Amino acid sequence: MLEVQDLGSRYGRIPALSGVSLRVGEGELVALVGANGAGKTTLLRAISGVQPVTAGSIRFDGGDIARLHARQRVQAGIVQVPEGRQVFAPMTVEDNLKLGTFARGNVSFLDAVFGLFPALADKRRELAGNLSGGQQQMLAIGRALMARPKLLLLDEPSMGLAPRLVSEIFSRIRALREVGTTILLVDQNARAALSIADRGYVMETGRIALEGAARELLHDPQVRQAYLGA
Ligand code: ATP
C-alpha cells in the first residue's frame, strides 16, 4: 500500500532523512521506533506531505504521491494523528470528530467511532479541553478515523500518558488493526509498539538501521540493549 524508497529530507542544511526505504502492506501494523531525534516524526510528516523531501519516491496505492499537497494526500486516504494530539480544546468532542471529515470521510461515521471509543460517546457534548490526556488521544485518533483512512499514521500516541492508559491506547490500536486498518505507528515506547506490530523498523540518525518481523526485533540483542532497556 505504501512504498517509500530512498527518501531524503533536510532542515536547511542539516539532513534529517537519508536513503530511507520502508513499506507498509495493506492491513499491516508497522512500528517505527528509535531514539529521540532519529527522524521518525520527520518521516511521518514527509509521508503526509507537510515536510518537503529532497530525494526519493513515495508510492501509495500504486501511484507516486511525492508531489501531491498534504490535503490531496488526505483525500487519497493518508491521515496522520500528530504528536501532542492537537485537539481543539474549546470545541466539543463531537465537533472535533466532525472536523476530521474536512477533506475526506463523512459525519455518518460518528457512530462507528463512538462504537470504537465508547468513552467519547459519553462525553460527546463536553469540551475537548476538559478530557483527560488518554481521552484526548482517543479523540485525536477518532478524528482521524472519521476520514476513513486507508493508511493511518500515528505519532507518539502514548506520549505523556500514565502506564495504565498506555496499555489501553495500545490495545485500541491493536483493535483497529484487527478490523483491517493499515497503520504506521511511531512511539518512544518501543516494547509496547513492537508488541502489537506485525513488522518494525528501527531508525537511527535519519536512516533505517534495522527492519524485520516485530517479534524478531523484540528478541534482537541489539534492539533489546538500545531500545528495550534489557
Ligand atoms: P522525537 O521522538 O524527539 O520527535 P524523532 O525521531 O521523531 O524524535 P524528528 O523530530 O523527526 O525525530 O527529528 C529529526 C532531527 O531533525 C532531529 O535532529 C531534530 O532535532 C531535527 N529537527 C526536527 N524538527 C526540526 C525543525 N523544525 N528544524 C530544525 N531541525 C529539526
Side-chain angles (χ1 to χ4, degrees), residues 11 14-16 34-43 83 155-156 186 188:
Y11 292 106
I14 302 165
N36 269 337
K40 306 178 298 295
T41 295
T42 303
L43 177 54
E83 192 172 337
D155 197 359
E156 302 281 0
V186 164
Q188 286 288 313

Side-chain angles (χ1 to χ4, degrees), residues 57-97:
S57 68
I58 308 172
R59 294 187 69 77
F60 179 68
D61 249 1
D64 186 351
I65 60 158
R67 264 156 214 85
L68 295 186
H69 294 297
R71 187 187 175 112
Q72 293 171 304
R73 297 191 205 189
V74 177
Q75 284 163 343
I78 300 177
V79 182
Q80 178 163 3
V81 179
E83 192 172 337
R85 314 192 251 280
Q86 300 180 24
V87 298
F88 297 96
M91 294 174 61
T92 64
V93 165
E94 186 168 320
D95 286 343
N96 267 272
L97 290 172

Side-chain angles (χ1 to χ4, degrees), residues 22 29-33 183-187 190 193-194 197-202 214 217:
L22 163 149
L29 199 180
V30 173
L32 178 61
V33 302
I183 301 170
L184 178 57
L185 164 68
V186 164
D187 210 280
L194 288 171
D198 301 299
R199 288 189 305 110
Y201 292 84
V202 179
L217 291 176

Side-chain angles (χ1 to χ4, degrees), residues 145-160:
L145 293 174
M146 291 293 289
R148 280 280 155 110
K150 289 186 186 170
L151 172 66
L152 183 64
L153 306 174
L154 294 175
D155 197 359
E156 302 281 0
S158 82
M159 188 158 53

Side-chain angles (χ1 to χ4, degrees), residues 33 170 187-197 214 218 223-224 227-230:
V33 302
F170 279 105
D187 210 280
Q188 286 288 313
N189 192 334
R191 185 188 300 277
L194 288 171
S195 299
I196 61 166
L218 275 171
V223 174
R224 287 170 65 84
Y227 303 105
L228 304 179

